């Protein structure tokens, strides 16, 4: 089966497609493709405490593009997670809602332990 994962990190946003299958009783994960967009969200968040309007716009555009890629590739499921930069951003909730509304992606901001 084909699965997708989106990782919004401090330096880049990544979309990872993987083929997952069982072989001799073991779960095997093989990389199908990877897209990396270097947005550098952490630069602003760790200095100013929030993501600027321009970076937020770039993030939303990136998420729309990733949504289109997933629509074409059609993974059976996906998970989208954001880590430290989004976790620390004062405006994270508004951005999560905007991404859901404009890109159609449900985004989880995960804690450091799960990260």
């Amino acid at each position: 089966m084909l699965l997708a994962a989106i990782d919004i990190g401090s330096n880049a946003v990544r979309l990872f497609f993987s083929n997952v299958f069982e072989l001799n009783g073991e779960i095997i994960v093989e990389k199908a493709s990877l897209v990396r967009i270097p947005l550098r969200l952490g630069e602003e968040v760790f200095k100013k405490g929030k993501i600027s309007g321009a970076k937020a716009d770039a993030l939303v555009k990136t998420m729309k593009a990733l949504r289109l890629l997933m629509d074409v590739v059609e993974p059976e499921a996906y998970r989208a997670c954001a880590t430290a930069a989004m976790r620390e951003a004062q405006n994270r909730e508004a951005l999560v809602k905007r991404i859901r509304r404009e890109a159609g992606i449900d985004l989880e901001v995960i804690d450091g332990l799960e990260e």
Side-chain angles (χ1 to χ4, degrees):
M1 95 176 67
L2 182 69
L3 300 176
I6 296 173
D7 170 24
I8 299 176
S10 298
N11 289 310
V13 176
R14 290 175 285 282
L15 171 60
F16 179 71
F17 289 106
S18 60
N19 292 302
V20 180
F21 56 93
E22 185 177 338
L23 181 65
N24 300 324
E26 290 187 46
I27 302 296
I28 308 295
V29 178
E30 287 184 347
K31 175 182 167 184
S33 63
L34 174 70
V35 175
R36 183 180 184 279
I37 309 297
L39 289 184
R40 311 250 188 271
L41 298 176
E43 285 179 337
E44 293 181 344
V45 172
F46 302 134
K47 290 179 185 173
K48 300 177 184 178
K50 67 179 191 172
I51 296 170
S52 71
K55 287 273 186 179
D57 290 346
L59 176 58
V60 171
K61 285 179 187 177
T62 298
M63 298 304 284
K64 287 178 180 180
L66 299 184
R67 172 84 262 173
L68 289 171
L69 286 171
M70 288 194 301
D71 288 348
V72 170
V73 176
E74 298 181 326
E76 289 189 37
Y78 78 91
R79 185 173 184 199
C81 296
T83 58
M86 284 286 283
R87 196 169 46 242
E88 299 295 322
Q90 296 167 359
N91 55 342
R92 74 180 161 275
E93 291 303 319
L95 263 172
V96 167
K97 288 178 184 175
R98 184 175 169 201
I99 288 166
R100 182 177 303 119
R101 183 179 66 249
E102 294 184 32
I105 293 176
D106 291 320
L107 177 64
E108 302 171 60
V109 179
I110 59 174
D111 63 30
L113 185 59
E114 187 171 358
E115 183 183 341

